[in-house]
Amino acid sequence: MRFALALAAILTLPGIAPAQSPASVAPAAATRSFLWEVSSLTNRVYLFGTVHAGKASFYPLAEPVRKAFEMSPVLAIEADITDAKAMEEGAPSMLLTPPATLDTVIPAPVYTRFRRQLERFGVPEAQVANLKPFIAASMLAFAEWGKQGYLPQYGVDLYLITKAREAKKRIVELEGAKAQTELMASLTDREQRRAFEGTLQSLENGIAADQITGLVNAWQSGDADLLLEVMRAYNESVPGAKELEEKFIWSRHEAMAGKIEYWLLNGREPVFVAVGALHLAGPRGLVEILRKRGHLVRQP
């Protein structure tokens, strides 16, 4: 598993599952995209929520998204997942400290269940033997995306980065790989184990498969409320999920919003900001944070 894929799995798939099976409900006609325009007196920023694995059928993106992207000389992303050097530098933080191995830090009965999931996905045990529990579990979560037909080569972030380079747009990072790997490394042993067991449970009972459908439905229909409902159900079903969401989603928004607001107040060219979809949803999302700071917000 390449570091970039694990990073994508960890930071954008915090665990999303249906409440009263909203994931199984077909999305409404896609009259909106997961896109918001935020304007100040002197500039505007487009906030676009992404998913990090996809299908060829996702493209081309909806017309409002294409237009906003074309009008923006700058693409802002969480971290450049195509920066191989940065990804490699962060890789050691994903590994256990020798002589520890995954089967020595996870209780035997739980590890036996985990091994069954490895067999289900055809993942060699040796491939995960030295990974930290959270990374190993995230790898399997990403494998479930692949099983459902959503592949990293069709991820929206990768697509936008590629298009930006083709168009010679400037690419800037809101955080960068180093900051994200430091966040992952901050997980305690207890948090690692709880995340591992929660992800394992979601794979065993089918919630992981439902969560993928729920996320994609919400994203394709531009429905932030549905995304939050899907998230709420998961948090209520899996111990420790709410705490992980706090760490990996909401705790990052003050710094993100500060950078975006700087472009709104000091920039003179539109910026297209692409972040994981959950970052834009709800009262603690970036959209509402910027609205509350007095900026004009609309969903095209």
Side-chain angles (χ1 to χ4, degrees), residues 26-103:
T31 56
R32 297 178 298 174
S33 300
F34 224 93
L35 175 73
W36 284 261
E37 180 186 88
V38 185
S39 303
S40 68
L41 292 175
T42 57
N43 201 14
R44 67 183 181 277
V45 166
Y46 296 99
L47 301 180
F48 183 52
T50 67
V51 290
H52 295 264
K55 296 182 178 181
S57 60
F58 283 6
Y59 309 102
L61 295 170
E63 184 177 1
V65 179
R66 296 201 307 271
K67 286 185 175 180
F69 183 74
E70 289 169 1
M71 289 189 296
S72 304
V74 182
L75 170 66
I77 49 179
E78 295 177 43
D80 185 355
I81 60 174
T82 67
D83 185 343
K85 181 179 179 181
M87 297 295 122
E88 290 171 4
E89 288 174 351
S93 69
M94 301 167 65
L95 304 177
L96 291 164
T97 302
T101 55
L102 188 60
D103 61 348

Side-chain angles (χ1 to χ4, degrees), residues 3 32 34 40 58 76 114 118 122 140 146 162 200 205 233 261 277 297:
F3 172 71
R32 297 178 298 174
F34 224 93
S40 68
F58 283 6
F114 176 71
L118 291 177
L140 284 193
T162 302
L200 181 59
N205 61 20
E261 189 168 37
V297 176

Side-chain angles (χ1 to χ4, degrees), residues 53-55 58 142 145-152 212-213 216 220:
K55 296 182 178 181
F58 283 6
F142 216 66
W145 278 73
K147 185 178 177 63
Q148 299 301 318
Y150 299 98
L151 304 176
I212 293 165
T213 305
V216 173
Q220 289 185 314

Side-chain angles (χ1 to χ4, degrees), residues 71-293:
M71 289 189 296
S72 304
V74 182
L75 170 66
I77 49 179
E78 295 177 43
D80 185 355
I81 60 174
T82 67
D83 185 343
K85 181 179 179 181
M87 297 295 122
E88 290 171 4
E89 288 174 351
S93 69
M94 301 167 65
L95 304 177
L96 291 164
T97 302
T101 55
L102 188 60
D103 61 348
T104 65
V105 298
I106 296 297
V110 178
Y111 192 82
T112 297
R113 293 163 50 203
F114 176 71
R115 187 181 284 120
R116 294 193 194 104
Q117 294 299 315
L118 291 177
E119 294 171 356
R120 173 175 168 242
F121 290 114
V123 177
E125 189 172 353
Q127 192 172 348
V128 300
N130 298 317
L131 296 180
K132 289 181 178 179
F134 186 39
I135 307 300
S138 297
M139 180 177 177
L140 284 193
F142 216 66
E144 182 66 49
W145 278 73
K147 185 178 177 63
Q148 299 301 318
Y150 299 98
L151 304 176
Q153 57 263 43
Y154 295 120
V156 179
D157 305 76
L158 179 59
Y159 175 85
L160 291 171
I161 292 170
T162 302
K163 288 293 184 183
R165 289 215 167 94
E166 290 174 356
K168 301 190 183 308
K169 295 180 185 288
R170 187 154 53 92
I171 299 174
V172 298
E173 295 178 308
L174 284 170
E175 296 172 320
K178 185 175 185 293
Q180 295 187 342
T181 53
E182 288 175 352
L183 182 62
M184 286 184 281
S186 73
L187 285 173
T188 65
D189 291 344
R190 177 177 177 273
E191 288 172 329
Q192 291 268 351
R193 289 192 297 270
R194 293 191 83 188
F196 183 92
E197 293 190 33
T199 302
L200 181 59
Q201 176 185 311
S202 73
L203 291 165
E204 292 171 331
N205 61 20
I207 286 178
D210 286 340
Q211 71 177 359
I212 293 165
T213 305
L215 171 58
V216 173
N217 282 354
W219 178 73
Q220 289 185 314
S221 57
D223 193 337
D225 290 337
L226 174 60
L227 182 55
L228 282 179
E229 177 64 10
V230 166
M231 195 66 221
R232 180 195 63 78
Y234 184 84
N235 289 343
E236 291 180 353
S237 302
V238 179
K242 186 174 182 180
E243 290 76 15
L244 282 176
E245 179 188 304
E246 184 67 34
K247 181 183 287 283
F248 283 100
I249 301 295
W250 314 119
S251 72
R252 298 159 61 195
H253 285 178
E254 189 64 28
M256 281 187 178
K259 288 190 176 182
I260 295 169
E261 189 168 37
Y262 178 85
W263 295 324
L264 283 167
L265 297 178
N266 300 284
R268 292 296 183 271
E269 55 186 5
V271 180
F272 190 95
V273 179
V275 294
L278 187 56
H279 289 294
L280 304 185
R284 300 180 67 191
L286 294 172
V287 173
E288 287 305 314
I289 289 174
L290 293 168
R291 190 198 306 272
K292 289 174 182 175
R293 292 185 182 184

